[in-house]
Amino acid sequence: MLREVTDPSHLLSEMDTGMLHVLVVDDDPADLKLCEAYLRPHFRFSGASSAAEAFDLIQADRPDCVITDYNLGATDGVSLATEFYGLPGMRYVPCIMLTGHSAVEIATHAFKAGADDYISKKNLSEQQLVYAVKAAYLDKRMQEAADVERHSLVQRNLEIEKRHQMMTEYWLGIAHTILTPLASTQEFISLVMDGVGGEVTETQGKYLGYARGGCNTIEAAVMRIVKMADLSNDPSEVYWRSHSLVEAVEEALDEIRIDSERMGVAIATQYALQPDVLGDKNALTQLLHLLQQRCLWYAAQRGKLAISVSAAADPDMVMVCCEGSTDHAVTALADELEWQLSAALSQANASNFQVVTATGKVQYRFELMRCTEVAQPVVA
């Protein structure tokens, strides 16, 4: 096994796995039979000898774990994993890849497709396979719980943000109600002190000065209250905020238009959706800029850079795609960009990042969490 999973033995040993449904996809009848012999005593077992048969079984009875051979005749396990993760309800179903080889390159390819583990068929044992299923299932359950908690925190933060906004708007309204007549009073006092209504005695001037000072004190106090109520610069404010995804895309595009025109690369945008998303807008703009620059770097002369926004399989998410036409050999992002990309993905609240390469194109895809309206603020 090329990837080691820390053994939470007290959790694995206590798991009631008898009802877990495990689907094995392998076009080799002998290997499929061996997996069945190892797994059936511990789980509900289903077997498929092709990708088409696997999809039929998945739609009929969603499995709790999928084990697939890396080589499946006309297709491969990586393609199968990529496709089934796009099906509704499969986002948190673990996938384990089996292969007769042990090349690190194959393992890397499998993990990029979303596989949770990679096991060589050489010297495969029942204990190893059963442990891998339990560990992958537990890992996905923990990931699902973390995502649910994160979504709950984001919604809570959004509620707090809205309360802050309501508070600021309330105090701005109060300030307007007070400061408008106060300004008129200050102007009237100034006119009187300037002698517009006749000569002012020394005593009258003194009391008018007191009145003007009082007005200034009230004005300063109101402005302090407004500043205190405006929490936009508070260091403890919510990190993620709601913002327009299309605006972020257009801002990132503005930064590369000169380069694209110089290279003769056309820019095309397609917005099937124009949602608000949750995350840091600056980080999202930086992420888009990095990926668009990379597509531009690969772009053929007179090529095309396409940006699209569409629905994701998960209704709470939206898919963003940056694609460039190319006549170059496509490799991964340069090492010097990896740390920038990793930070931007995290801060932008982006997930499921994928690099898709094919003849004549390179494509970067990721998902963002949609902003949903909160019906009523929760009082702390």
Side-chain angles (χ1 to χ4, degrees), residues 251-329:
E251 286 181 18
L253 284 174
D254 286 341
E255 297 182 12
I256 67 167
R257 290 190 192 278
I258 294 177
D259 288 340
S260 66
E261 290 173 2
R262 175 177 53 80
M263 297 175 61
V265 175
I267 296 178
T269 56
Q270 183 177 6
Y271 303 130
L273 301 169
Q274 298 192 30
D276 287 344
V277 293
L278 288 171
D280 182 82
K281 185 177 181 180
N282 291 333
L284 177 58
T285 303
Q286 179 194 20
L287 172 62
L288 289 164
H289 180 68
L290 285 170
L291 299 181
Q292 290 165 8
Q293 281 280 26
R294 197 63 180 174
C295 287
L296 205 60
W297 187 85
Y298 282 121
Q301 195 68 20
R302 303 292 176 187
K304 182 179 178 182
L305 171 62
I307 313 297
S308 64
V309 176
S310 58
D314 187 332
D316 292 329
M317 309 294 285
V318 61
M319 173 75 73
V320 180
C321 176
C322 302
E323 180 179 309
S325 59
T326 179
D327 54 9
H328 300 284

Side-chain angles (χ1 to χ4, degrees), residues 84 99 105 143 165 231 239 261 284 317 324 331 333 366:
F84 91 67
T99 182
E105 293 79 5
Q143 179 185 332
Q165 184 179 355
L231 303 178
Y239 187 72
E261 290 173 2
L284 177 58
M317 309 294 285
T331 58
L333 283 167
F366 59 94

Side-chain angles (χ1 to χ4, degrees), residues 25-242:
V25 189
D26 199 319
D27 60 352
D28 186 323
D31 288 342
L32 189 61
K33 188 173 182 179
L34 179 63
C35 287
E36 180 176 6
Y38 285 163
L39 295 172
R40 189 173 287 280
H42 306 276
F43 312 104
R44 280 201 304 124
F45 176 87
S46 293
S49 58
S50 67
E53 185 181 356
F55 272 98
D56 289 341
L57 290 173
I58 287 173
Q59 302 208 7
D61 183 7
R62 195 199 75 176
D64 297 298
C65 179
V66 175
I67 302 174
T68 177
D69 188 14
Y70 182 82
N71 295 305
L72 289 174
T75 183
D76 58 56
V78 171
S79 299
L80 176 64
T82 302
E83 290 181 28
F84 91 67
Y85 273 129
L87 295 175
M90 294 295 290
R91 184 177 182 183
Y92 295 104
V93 175
C95 176
I96 299 172
M97 205 75 67
L98 292 176
T99 182
H101 307 283
S102 58
V104 174
E105 293 79 5
I106 295 178
T108 302
H109 193 195
F111 289 136
K112 283 186 176 180
D116 296 275
D117 208 343
Y118 176 90
I119 305 175
S120 172
K121 290 182 178 180
K122 296 178 181 179
N123 302 317
L124 180 65
S125 68
E126 178 177 352
Q127 181 181 9
Q128 181 187 32
L129 193 57
V130 170
Y131 171 81
V133 170
K134 290 183 177 181
Y137 178 79
L138 180 61
D139 184 61
K140 282 293 188 181
R141 297 287 70 74
M142 294 172 69
Q143 179 185 332
E144 182 179 18
D147 286 350
V148 169
E149 180 65 16
R150 183 182 71 163
H151 187 270
S152 175
L153 289 173
V154 168
Q155 294 299 319
R156 174 61 176 155
N157 287 344
L158 183 59
E159 293 165 4
I160 294 173
E161 177 187 346
K162 288 192 173 184
R163 290 184 63 203
H164 289 173
Q165 184 179 355
M166 291 172 60
M167 183 184 299
T168 300
E169 290 175 354
Y170 171 77
W171 282 109
L172 286 174
I174 294 293
H176 179 75
T177 302
I178 296 174
L179 294 180
T180 298
L182 187 63
S184 299
T185 303
Q186 289 172 310
E187 181 65 19
F188 176 76
I189 292 172
S190 296
L191 290 173
V192 174
M193 293 184 70
D194 290 341
V196 173
E199 187 176 352
V200 178
T201 65
E202 182 179 349
T203 301
Q204 290 172 331
K206 182 175 69 171
Y207 286 115
L208 284 170
Y210 290 157
R212 184 162 63 179
C215 289
N216 292 340
T217 301
I218 294 172
E219 180 183 24
V222 171
M223 295 308 297
R224 281 198 302 271
I225 292 173
V226 171
K227 187 175 181 180
M228 290 171 61
D230 182 6
L231 303 178
S232 60
N233 294 318
D234 191 313
S236 63
E237 69 173 337
V238 179
Y239 187 72
W240 285 337
R241 290 185 175 276
S242 58

Side-chain angles (χ1 to χ4, degrees), residues 344-360:
L345 282 167
S346 175
Q347 294 174 17
N349 193 19
S351 59
N352 293 338
F353 177 75
Q354 293 181 340
V355 182
V356 180
T357 60
T359 303

